[in-house]
Amino acid sequence: MKDLAQTIAVNIDKLTRRRFELTNITIDPEGLARRCPLDNGRPQSTTTTINTTLGTLDALPLELLHDVLLQLDLQSLTTLRAVNRYARCSIDGLHKYKTIIGHAPNVLRAALAVGAAAWISCNTLYAILCNPSCSHCRDFGAFFYLLSGERVCFLCLSDHRDFLPLTEVRARDEYGLSRKDFRELQSITTLPGMYSVRALLRRKRMSLVDRRAAQTAGIKLHGSSLEMELFVDEQRYQMTDRYEKKVEKMPWARIRKPSCPPYTVEFDEYSCNPLRFMATVRVPLIKAQTGIVQWGFSCQGCVKSDGQRRGIRQLDWRRMFSLDGYVDHVKDCPHSLETIDSLSTSDTDIHLSRPSQIAKTS
């Protein structure tokens, strides 16, 4: 096992593929840098002393003060940091905050830009950056889902219903929520950009909510899941009836029909649906003990296995791994094992040929 891990570590570039294109299907990092610049790298003057304070927070012991700051949501922490130089130095000195700024500044930028920073604390974000697992399937999660503050993998983000956020129209149609109910939920305001594997352009900003939160609110509003479903069915029946009557009254409806009810329009296109990626940002894995940063990679052997087309998830080339996760995955990927065997054989041949080469030269 140790020899296998060493062989993989040495030949990782030959066995895997780094998914640089995934950065471009979510919130654009270059756009984030323009829209939400951070001043953490700005040099500070060392000639003047800091005469400002944190007010009543100065009465707390330093360790307790750090614990309080780390439990603040990112929006409050950023606001407090802008109060004065002493607050700025106190927050910049936090190890977890410094790690986030150093290795994942775009996560902070994205949370602030879309409004998700109000419910994500510094402690929570740091813990997610240090945990490689997808919250749903335990694979390596290369993305951060801002609406619920979860690390998620590409397959779950593309295919799972829970990670398809809802607009106001969809929340009303699927769970019977009014505009007032929708606005009471945690929501983000999306940014213009190119989203999904098809790089679809979205120019307008829109409000999105988490599907699970909308479903919970709908059940609470109507009393039970059954009552909610009955209400939605009745609502859809009324919408269809109004639509049909509208078509009958329009003499030109055969040429150009009025807009269909929202539930009749095809909605989810999985990895091609831009809504799935408008609430996400790419995140690395940070090893807390060593400080090593990994962005994950895909298996080259799985591309040859064609697991996606055959419906075999463990051989799906879209899965991503950390270095430790890839070592465990190799046992289930025959093409990767063949490649490793060929690499080991070539290395052995090189070592065996060296004595004869030395003898010839002497």
Side-chain angles (χ1 to χ4, degrees):
M1 180 65 184
K2 186 176 181 180
D3 293 339
L4 176 63
Q6 290 178 348
T7 303
I8 291 174
V10 172
N11 300 283
I12 192 67
D13 291 334
K14 299 178 182 178
L15 297 168
T16 62
R17 185 167 69 91
R18 301 188 185 278
R19 306 285 302 281
F20 296 109
E21 74 278 6
L22 293 181
T23 304
N24 300 322
I25 67 177
T26 60
I27 299 175
D28 179 26
E30 295 182 1
L32 282 174
R34 292 194 306 269
R35 291 188 178 93
C36 190
L38 301 176
D39 65 347
N40 296 79
R42 188 174 65 185
Q44 300 183 22
S45 175
T46 57
T47 57
T48 59
T49 58
I50 300 177
N51 298 321
T52 53
T53 68
L54 289 178
T56 55
L57 290 177
D58 281 340
L60 296 175
L62 186 60
E63 294 179 357
L64 184 57
L65 174 62
H66 285 180
D67 289 340
V68 170
L69 294 176
L70 290 173
Q71 292 178 34
L72 287 176
D73 61 82
L74 295 174
Q75 184 64 62
S76 300
L77 197 66
T78 303
T79 303
L80 177 61
R81 187 176 175 276
V83 169
N84 54 44
R85 287 184 59 197
Y86 185 69
R88 177 184 174 187
C89 292
S90 298
I91 294 172
D92 287 351
L94 299 173
H95 170 70
K96 294 182 179 180
Y97 181 81
K98 196 186 305 183
T99 302
I100 293 171
I101 292 297
H103 299 298
N106 284 330
V107 183
L108 177 60
R109 288 191 178 108
L112 292 171
V114 302
W119 58 79
I120 302 172
S121 70
C122 187
N123 261 340
T124 300
L125 180 55
Y126 180 80
I128 288 172
L129 291 175
C130 294
N131 181 7
S133 302
C134 169
S135 62
H136 185 262
C137 70
R138 315 315 295 174
D139 269 2
F140 177 81
F143 301 93
F144 184 59
Y145 186 62
L146 292 161
L147 279 167
S148 59
E150 298 175 83
R151 183 186 277 271
V152 60
C153 69
F154 180 80
L155 294 184
C156 290
L157 180 61
S158 301
D159 301 336
H160 202 279
R161 184 177 174 83
D162 286 349
F163 300 109
L164 175 60
L166 298 174
T167 61
E168 182 180 336
V169 173
R170 283 291 172 178
R172 181 190 64 201
D173 174 63
E174 295 193 23
Y175 302 115
L177 298 181
S178 64
R179 176 170 295 183
K180 179 182 177 182
D181 299 322
F182 181 85
R183 290 180 176 177
E184 290 177 353
L185 298 175
Q186 290 181 349
S187 64
I188 65 167
T189 304
T190 62
L191 300 175
M194 311 281 282
Y195 296 96
S196 84
V197 295
R198 290 185 179 177
L200 299 176
L201 177 62
R202 291 294 178 266
R203 298 181 185 276
K204 295 183 179 180
R205 305 189 72 177
M206 64 180 72
S207 294
L208 298 178
V209 297
D210 181 51
R211 174 179 292 274
R212 289 161 292 181
Q215 184 179 22
T216 302
I219 294 173
K220 183 179 179 181
L221 175 66
H222 299 288
S224 67
S225 179
L226 178 60
E227 291 294 330
M228 180 183 70
E229 292 174 2
L230 291 174
F231 177 85
V232 168
D233 289 341
E234 178 64 22
Q235 181 178 251
R236 289 182 173 182
Y237 172 78
Q238 293 176 2
M239 292 174 66
T240 303
D241 186 55
R242 288 196 299 268
Y243 173 76
E244 291 176 351
K245 290 180 179 179
K246 193 174 181 180
V247 171
E248 291 176 358
K249 293 180 180 179
M250 293 181 176
W252 45 267
R254 292 182 179 179
I255 302 174
R256 180 184 177 187
K257 291 186 178 181
S259 300
C260 297
Y263 69 89
T264 62
V265 181
E266 184 65 26
F267 182 40
D268 193 5
E269 295 178 340
Y270 301 103
S271 62
C272 298
N273 190 337
L275 289 180
R276 288 186 174 273
F277 301 93
M278 296 172 85
T280 56
V281 64
R282 186 83 187 275
V283 290
L285 166 65
I286 300 174
K287 294 286 188 178
Q289 296 179 345
T290 61
I292 296 175
V293 178
Q294 299 180 29
W295 287 90
F297 33 72
S298 296
C299 176
Q300 288 280 28
C302 290
V303 177
K304 301 176 182 177
S305 299
D306 201 14
Q308 179 188 2
R309 185 181 61 82
R310 293 161 56 193
I312 306 175
R313 181 185 173 93
Q314 64 181 10
L315 296 179
D316 194 319
W317 69 271
R318 298 173 299 171
R319 289 179 69 196
M320 297 189 69
F321 307 92
S322 62
L323 181 58
D324 296 335
Y326 182 73
V327 173
D328 296 332
H329 163 74
V330 159
K331 304 171 187 176
D332 301 322
C333 183
H335 287 92
S336 293
L337 288 174
E338 291 177 3
T339 305
I340 291 172
D341 289 339
S342 64
L343 291 172
S344 301
T345 303
S346 62
D347 290 343
T348 302
D349 293 342
I350 291 173
H351 288 303
L352 290 175
S353 64
R354 282 178 180 171
S356 59
Q357 292 176 359
I358 297 173
K360 290 180 180 179
T361 55
S362 60

